[in-house]
Amino acid sequence: MALEITPFLLAAQSPDANIRTQAEASLRQFQEQNLPLFLLSLSVELANNVKPLESRKLAGIVLKNSLDAKDSVRKEHLVQQWMAIEKSIKSQIKDSLLRTLGSSASEARHTSAQVIAKVASIEIPRKQWPELIGSLLNNMTQQDSPAALKQGTLETLGYVCEVISHQDLVQDEVNSVLTAVVQGMNLAEHSHEVRLAATKALYNALDFAQTNFDNEMERNYIMKVVCETAISKEAEIRQAVFECLVSIASTYYEVLEPYMQTLFQLTSNAVKGDEESVALQAIEFWSSICDEEIELQEYRTVEGGDSGSAHSRFIEKALPYLVPLLLDTMLKQEDQDQDDSIWNISMAGGTCLGLVARTVGDSIVKLVMPFVEGNILKPDWHCREAATYAFGSILEGPSVETLGPLVTNGLGFLLNAMRDKNNNVKDTPAWTLSRIFEFLHCPASGFSVISLEKLERIVTVLLESINDAPNVAEKVCGAIYYLAQGYEDAGTNSSHLTQHIPRIISELLKTAERTDGSDFKLRTSAYETLNEVVRSSNVVETSLIILELLKSILHKLGQTLELQIVSSDDREKQGDLQASLCAVIQVIIQKLSSTDETKPSILQAADPIMFLFLRVFACRSSTVHEEAMLAIGALAHASGPEFEKYMPELYKYLEMGLQNFEEYEVCAITVGVIGDICRALEDKVLPYCDGIMNHLVCNLQSAELNRSVKPPIFSCFGDIALAIGEQFSKYIEPTVAMMRSAAEVCAQMDNSDEELMDYGNQLKRSIFEAYSGILQGFKDSKPELMLPHAGHLFQFIELVFREKYRDESVTKAAVAVMGDLADALGPNTKILFKDKAFCVQFLGECLQSEDEHLKETANWSHVMIARVVS
């Protein structure tokens, strides 16, 4: 029997903090003492039309939050709590929720629809609540069902389709859901609210409709209703149906041919004359078609064959009509007051034009250049900006041969445009220059539109414009970034930039100090560009400049430690700045330690660098913790065994990083840095290994730690074993037990889920890396310790070999560990290798690979195994 909780729910929303706190405490106490009755009382409150709307809304929110959470560990806990509730109480709760769908209060219907979907996401995959879909469909087919019930039901069907998999429903259920949804879109029979709910539900149901779209008659019916709904008089419905068309374009591309003429007409009319929210979706439809065709083309290029899907070349066929339509949208800019984060029709049109260029290549140039030439000199700023934006948008896709002469001729014009009198225009040439430098400036491969003579003027104009408004300065940073990147690994060509680097660094440091940019985006851009300038420079020629930069950055990092922190906002700003500065230091360490000539200079600076990093750790900001950790990894790599002197002070921060489950990225980076330290210190890391191994094993056993941290931990086992050799023997049993357990998880993993498959590949690769490290670590002293585990390792290698879709990095790691087995265990593995015929097949496959690194690894393993077997 549900309890009366209305007074508590109302009091929990009181403006009086004391009343609110007491009410929240009472509700929390009720929840902790009797969760089933608490949830039942909430559902009864939500369903009761007599209760105040405020208490019903809060009841629904609390109920929803009792079933779901963003944090995966918390979410699993809530699911288990729900599963443990007695069946009869769960039935009462579900009945109350279904009753609420007919409520006259739209907020109650909406909340109930969301809660039903949360329950469905738990129960339907477990084959529970089989009657749900039938109950919802019944609401739609009953003659006298009121509009409110139909609207609430359709909204629920949409949410349910969003949270469950298409494998959870049988085809008859899918057919019935689609029928109900598509019929709900019918103009003659239903109100605006019902049709809107039906259209939104169709969007979520499309993933379930593969069989229906394969059937021509059913597909024709669905597309007919969708196209008719696209000309509804309500903009909200038109927007929702174009969202459906975007999804159809990407999910059912291969069957769209018969409808494309109608779809072009609908999207064209929407782009030309509909409300912006609708026009944006109409443009997005063509962007989705581009995405599909780009993917088909890339697949054919990489695989050298047919992808299995027909390439209908819709963009190529529509090109003469589509390009003018998109160019016209680019003239509809708004004065954005220097805020280019606002998505509007002009930006959508330019983005789509860029995708079209990637899809059709050279064919687009002759359609766009007349627009560019016709508008670039007009007095109206809209025309000048649109012309520049259009030119910048087509720089990826067409060939260098086609674009080269156009860019060479236009470069001077773009540099002049950086001084345009209108602020709305100036950042577009800067963005266009960054695209030119990204795609048409690569001295390392022998092509660049930038001659030595032009470089002086380019740098001068960019460094002048970096002092312009923040939105312009940010785009200039991007241009400098790609300009510098072009000279990376460019041999003697990298010297071209050397004379300009002191000026570039000076201006970037000044830009990073500016306070007129919003959200510190400009500062972040300036530091990221500074990093790229350092990375791309000729290290021998610029080492003294980079050392001066290091002193400046260390000074700035020291200053951040003296900042007055009086609020969380101050703390966040301090952390962000420290993160940027630590990232610069990391790049400088990597650059200066990359040659024997410049390495001593970084080793001399190691003490002050490490001193500052340790002080920074004391600030306990996670972002800076990440960046400082990465920089410490670089310093350990550069310092080698000398890094040992920092370990007594650093170790406690490594422990803190390993225990930081909440900010799991910090934990993962700390694991990686421990690997760097092991490689640097070798057996000098031994005094810290008990503590480190204890934390790593605990982390693997924890259900709270994000799973993405677990593969790096296995790799780290290999690093530790390689560093300390036979001393790793005391950790071998728990370590191998964990690796075997993880291998079993890999064997049972559902590879239909792409995210899960990626995780599985990381896990497999890291298990093999761990085995390789341990085998090589024991090779010279105690190889026999790994003999009892060799059989299991062979089983795991065979499992990976027999996988239909095998990741290349996993293949490399598996083949490498076969060689390590033979190398470390020697003649003891002779029988194992002779018994395992798959090894010969596996090596044969890899020796035929076009990947040189894989072939090299397979060749080494082949030699090691041959030595053992013969």
Side-chain angles (χ1 to χ4, degrees), residues 787-819:
L787 259 180
H789 309 295
H792 170 264
L793 178 51
F794 267 108
Q795 284 173 13
F796 187 44
I797 296 168
E798 185 169 5
L799 170 87
V800 167
F801 167 66
R802 305 218 179 272
E803 283 178 346
K804 190 176 177 185
Y805 302 107
R806 193 185 330 119
D807 183 78
E808 202 159 274
S809 67
V810 175
T811 300
K812 282 179 193 172
V815 169
V817 86
M818 283 163 62

Side-chain angles (χ1 to χ4, degrees), residues 844-859:
E845 174 198 307
C846 296
L847 289 167
Q848 298 300 312
S849 170
E850 290 178 12
D851 182 323
E852 286 304 318
H853 183 56
L854 175 56
K855 208 187 280 189
E856 200 179 299
T857 305
N859 198 40

Side-chain angles (χ1 to χ4, degrees), residues 121-242:
S121 71
I122 298 169
E123 297 203 345
I124 288 181
R126 293 172 170 82
K127 307 300 178 196
Q128 297 174 13
W129 209 2
E131 68 278 10
L132 171 63
I133 299 297
S135 301
L136 294 171
L137 293 172
N138 197 39
N139 291 346
M140 295 303 298
T141 52
Q142 278 180 351
Q143 286 279 300
D144 54 349
S145 283
L149 178 59
K150 287 186 175 181
Q151 187 271 337
T153 299
L154 286 164
E155 191 173 6
T156 306
L157 282 168
Y159 286 139
V160 170
C161 289
E162 189 179 11
V163 297
I164 65 172
S165 159
H166 62 91
Q167 296 162 330
D168 293 326
L169 299 184
V170 296
Q171 191 56 44
D172 283 350
E173 287 177 314
V174 172
N175 295 343
S176 300
V177 168
L178 280 170
T179 301
V181 167
V182 173
Q183 285 178 352
M185 293 165 71
N186 190 307
L187 176 63
E189 291 180 28
H190 298 299
S191 67
H192 156 232
E193 289 79 13
V194 171
R195 283 164 43 239
L196 179 60
T199 310
K200 287 182 172 179
L202 176 65
Y203 179 84
N204 288 324
L206 283 168
D207 279 346
F208 292 70
Q210 183 67 59
T211 303
N212 310 84
F213 266 80
D214 288 343
N215 179 311
E216 188 182 357
M217 197 167 77
E218 290 182 38
R219 181 174 72 241
N220 285 341
Y221 176 64
I222 294 169
M223 291 303 292
K224 175 177 174 288
V225 173
V226 166
C227 291
E228 285 170 355
T229 309
I231 52 172
S232 298
K233 66 177 191 291
E234 301 89 353
E236 239 186 327
I237 294 177
R238 293 197 302 277
Q239 180 186 339
V241 86
F242 275 111

Side-chain angles (χ1 to χ4, degrees), residues 302-374:
V302 172
E303 299 295 323
D306 190 6
S307 66
S309 297
H311 189 334
S312 301
R313 306 199 180 280
F314 294 136
I315 299 296
E316 198 178 291
K317 292 169 188 171
L319 206 59
Y321 314 101
L322 181 59
V323 170
L325 182 71
L326 295 173
L327 290 171
D328 192 48
T329 66
M330 296 169 78
L331 289 161
K332 296 178 180 176
Q333 317 93 315
E334 299 160 17
D335 187 336
Q336 292 179 29
D337 193 26
Q338 301 177 10
D339 182 3
D340 58 4
S341 63
I342 300 165
W343 189 245
N344 57 34
I345 193 163
S346 163
M347 295 178 78
T351 302
C352 188
L353 187 70
L355 289 167
V356 171
R358 287 178 58 199
T359 309
V360 300
D362 287 349
S363 310
I364 199 169
V365 176
K366 63 180 182 290
L367 293 168
V368 172
M369 285 314 292
F371 176 86
V372 174
E373 289 157 3

